[in-house]
Amino acid sequence: AAVWVSLVTWAFGFAPGELGSVADTEMVNLLISQPVPRPEGINELWFAIWNCFAVVPAVLGALEAPVGRGQRLPAGPFLVGSAFLGYFALGPYFATRTERTEPVDIDDLGFTSKTIFESKIFAALFSAIALSIPFQSGLLGCDLSATLAGYGDLAAGSRFVSVASIDIAIMSALTSVLVSEDAKRRGWEDKSLPLLATTILLPVIGPCLYLVARPSLEESN
């Protein structure tokens, strides 16, 4: 709860830049209207962060949906909301959530979890998207020092960029925790801590590759 409250307080009260500025609105409209290739003038690092929002909420859904039933709040609406509002949507759910480490029976899963989130095709698709982000954003081969400096200037003047950057960092850290929990439920107790560390060090791509490699629920049970 503290993370969510802190995010909301900082985003609306203390983050740099102007809330709902014309420049932010124009930038978001440009990014939505031209998802690929990277629009001219858009910072490479910021474009990579923006594209991570296409991946991280889906991975969170694949990790959390199987244990979302029976929680104090239903997981579905919050997981769907995260695709549009990030951790702003997830915060209330995870503030009341109870960790579950017991194995999950695949027959207890809902349709979406069983047919989509447990699918290796789903995992491979999002792994491919995640792996493509450094390429299609232009991060590989760019002038890294100039890109970092440009991103710093952008985040310092844009509330949307600064808040979105913190938001994706929080969701990435949460994803790593959920990878560790999921590994325990699938019989990978000895791998849970290494996976936690690896996915923190390799955000977005690491959790996607975990979905590809993790045992199916039939195998783990």
Side-chain angles (χ1 to χ4, degrees):
V3 174
W4 182 71
V5 170
S6 298
L7 175 64
V8 172
T9 302
W10 179 75
F12 289 97
F14 302 99
E18 178 186 347
L19 182 65
S21 71
V22 174
D24 279 355
T25 301
E26 291 177 348
M27 177 181 61
V28 172
N29 288 336
L30 175 61
L31 290 168
I32 292 173
S33 64
Q34 186 179 323
V36 288
R38 177 176 58 87
E40 186 71 25
I42 296 294
N43 178 269
E44 292 90 345
L45 179 55
W46 162 238
F47 191 65
I49 291 171
W50 167 259
N51 279 279
C52 288
F53 281 96
V55 177
V56 175
V59 176
L60 279 168
L63 294 167
E64 181 59 26
V67 292
R69 287 186 172 186
Q71 297 284 355
R72 294 180 182 87
L73 296 173
F78 298 94
L79 294 173
V80 171
S82 71
F84 305 96
L85 299 173
Y87 196 75
F88 290 93
L90 292 172
Y93 170 77
F94 280 97
T96 63
R97 170 188 182 265
T98 300
E99 178 184 352
R100 293 180 175 171
T101 56
E102 66 274 10
V104 177
D105 192 323
I106 194 168
D107 293 329
D108 294 334
L109 299 183
F111 174 80
T112 301
S113 293
K114 185 184 297 185
T115 60
I116 298 177
F117 290 150
E118 287 294 316
S119 167
K120 294 302 181 184
I121 295 175
F122 171 91
L125 173 62
F126 278 91
S127 294
I129 295 173
L131 288 166
S132 75
I133 289 175
F135 296 92
Q136 51 96 4
S137 65
L139 269 179
L140 296 181
C142 72
D143 183 337
L144 189 57
S145 60
T147 297
L148 289 172
Y151 169 75
D153 292 340
L154 181 62
S158 167
R159 181 163 299 199
F160 183 81
V161 171
S162 59
V163 171
S165 299
I166 297 298
D167 190 14
I168 200 68
I170 293 171
M171 287 202 296
S172 293
L174 174 62
T175 301
S176 296
V177 173
L178 296 183
V179 164
S180 179
E181 291 182 9
D182 188 75
K184 294 176 184 177
R185 288 193 296 269
R186 294 170 189 264
W188 278 8
E189 292 88 350
D190 59 327
K191 297 181 177 67
S192 61
L193 285 179
L195 284 167
L196 173 64
T198 301
T199 52
I200 287 175
L201 294 173
L202 190 63
V204 186
I205 295 172
C208 288
L209 296 177
Y210 167 76
L211 294 182
V212 174
R214 69 179 179 175
S216 68
L217 289 176
E218 294 96 330
E219 292 171 343
S220 59
N221 291 332

